[in-house]
Amino acid sequence: MKKIVTLAIAGLVASSALNAADIGGSGASFPYSVYQKWISAYNKATGVQVDYISKGSSKGIKDIKAREVNFAGSDKPLSPRALKKAKLYQFPAVVGAITMGYNIPNVSDLKLSRAAIAEIALGNVKYWDNKLITAANPGLNLPHKKLTFVHRSDGSGTTYNFTYYLSKSNSEWRTNFGAKKSLNWPGDHHIGGNHNSGVASLVKQTPYSVGYIDYADAKNNSIVMATVENREGYYIKPELKNFQTSAAKASFDPRVDFYAIIADPSGKGSYPMVAATFILLPKEAADTNKKVTAFYDWSYKNGQDLAASLGFVPLPDALTNKIRAYWSDKGIK
């Protein structure tokens, strides 16, 4: 008979869902689609039931700090100091991309420069025929229609990685805002959506809008995605091969609990907005942690094609071997 892990989760729906599982987690919406694929495949292969509730990185971190879940997902890595204070372990699960999804009738080949993306986020680009946009799109008939910028309304690792990218590419953003999981967005023509799926829904239903969305949610909602300029000045399409080029630039070191941010990597073919998503575990829960690491170990070995089909970059063997050594060192494998 299966041993059921009882969890104390605020909210009857969340509590009911997680208490029915062998292990349960919450957090980042960015990797939700790939986790669901892995969970289904793992259950079919092993009979173990894993549950993961998409709440956003901030709420996932809050849940794991309160020990209300067995594991948490966060697109914002915690520093070794923060991990030590909260008594947590951390390791990466997969790498994904943030896209600029847009909704302009009859426009399917939009290019957005680094300057245009930053000025849109700063609230300084109000119409689609702004020169910052038209300069990169001489062949497009962009309308004089008010631009609506769609962003996350909840605390989000996607927002953290997007604003980290903005901080790398724009000095005004870096000085006035920096990298944050949530913020009061500048300008007067923006709207917020809850989770990546909420941003995708708003872009889809709002003509002349643009927003930052993870690739999987943009693809699943048939949202057109812009080709964006990287730090070398090349315009890069949001495609798996380009995400892989960027992911290869990351340096994950187990000595600092794999703390790394990939945004805005160098290289001619690098897509500029990529992010790793991480798993957080409580140090004191060795037995339950072994169930969580068993799930991710199985996913590393068997879930690569599932991840790639959704536009995520599976972690290379050299990195997953480091992660397994990290688990062994911590006594959670």
Side-chain angles (χ1 to χ4, degrees):
M1 183 175 181
K2 287 183 180 179
K3 181 179 178 182
I4 305 299
V5 179
T6 302
L7 303 170
I9 292 291
L12 293 176
V13 174
S15 179
S16 176
L18 290 180
N19 286 340
D22 294 283
I23 49 174
S26 69
S29 64
F30 182 75
Y32 181 72
S33 60
V34 70
Y35 289 176
Q36 291 308 296
K37 289 280 191 181
W38 284 352
I39 285 168
S40 178
Y42 187 62
N43 177 256
K44 185 175 180 179
T46 67
V48 176
Q49 186 174 348
V50 181
D51 193 69
Y52 181 81
I53 297 176
S54 171
K55 291 185 174 183
S57 295
S58 290
K59 291 181 180 177
I61 292 170
K62 183 178 179 180
D63 283 350
I64 196 66
K65 285 182 176 180
R67 299 323 197 240
E68 292 180 339
V69 289
N70 302 124
F71 67 98
S74 177
D75 304 326
K76 179 187 183 299
L78 299 188
S79 69
R81 182 177 180 181
L83 291 166
K84 183 177 180 180
K85 182 178 179 181
K87 298 180 180 178
L88 298 171
Y89 297 131
Q90 173 177 268
F91 61 88
V94 72
V95 173
I98 300 168
T99 70
M100 296 302 293
Y102 66 93
N103 180 351
I104 311 173
N106 303 314
V107 174
S108 59
D109 297 308
L110 183 72
K111 293 180 180 179
L112 289 175
S113 66
R114 292 163 71 80
I117 293 171
E119 293 300 324
I120 287 170
L122 285 163
N124 296 330
V125 174
K126 298 184 182 296
Y127 293 92
W128 278 106
D129 58 353
N130 184 285
K131 289 183 179 180
L132 275 176
I133 301 177
T134 60
N137 297 278
L140 295 184
N141 184 22
L142 292 167
H144 185 68
K145 292 287 187 178
K146 190 172 182 179
L147 179 152
T148 300
F149 176 58
V150 186
H151 56 80
R152 288 284 289 272
S153 60
D154 55 325
S156 158
T158 308
T159 296
Y160 177 83
N161 282 283
F162 180 64
T163 56
Y164 186 93
Y165 157 77
L166 291 174
S167 297
K168 296 270 285 186
S169 65
N170 183 272
S171 60
E172 182 181 350
W173 186 276
R174 182 168 61 251
T175 300
N176 294 321
F177 299 100
K180 296 180 179 179
K181 289 185 290 184
S182 63
L183 69 152
N184 292 320
W185 290 88
D188 59 2
H189 55 287
H190 57 83
I191 54 176
N194 199 34
H195 306 324
N196 278 296
S197 57
V199 174
S201 295
L202 281 174
V203 170
K204 192 169 184 177
Q205 69 190 32
T206 308
Y208 305 105
S209 62
V210 61
Y212 60 95
I213 320 167
D214 71 285
Y215 176 84
D217 274 302
K219 184 179 179 181
N220 289 342
N221 284 275
S222 300
I223 292 172
V224 184
M225 295 169 269
T227 297
V228 294
E229 184 186 17
N230 68 12
R231 66 188 297 178
E232 311 293 345
Y234 295 94
Y235 282 85
I236 308 298
K237 290 182 179 294
E239 297 176 346
L240 180 61
K241 64 178 182 179
N242 299 326
F243 306 156
Q244 291 170 327
T245 298
S246 299
K249 305 289 183 180
S251 177
F252 293 104
D253 188 343
R255 292 173 297 181
V256 291
D257 302 282
F258 301 99
Y259 181 85
I261 302 170
I262 315 172
D264 206 31
S266 61
K268 179 179 177 180
S270 295
Y271 184 81
M273 290 179 282
V274 289
T277 191
F278 296 82
I279 297 302
L280 302 171
L281 298 175
K283 288 185 175 181
E284 73 280 0
D287 289 343
T288 307
N289 287 344
K290 289 177 182 178
K291 295 181 181 180
V292 177
T293 60
F295 165 62
Y296 280 98
D297 189 40
W298 185 94
S299 299
Y300 293 153
K301 294 174 181 175
N302 302 282
Q304 291 200 356
D305 289 343
L306 290 174
S309 71
L310 294 168
F312 288 90
V313 180
L315 302 183
D317 290 343
L319 177 53
T320 57
N321 287 335
K322 286 183 181 180
I323 294 170
R324 293 184 185 100
Y326 174 85
W327 293 340
S328 296
D329 181 61
K330 307 300 183 185
I332 56 173
K333 184 179 185 300

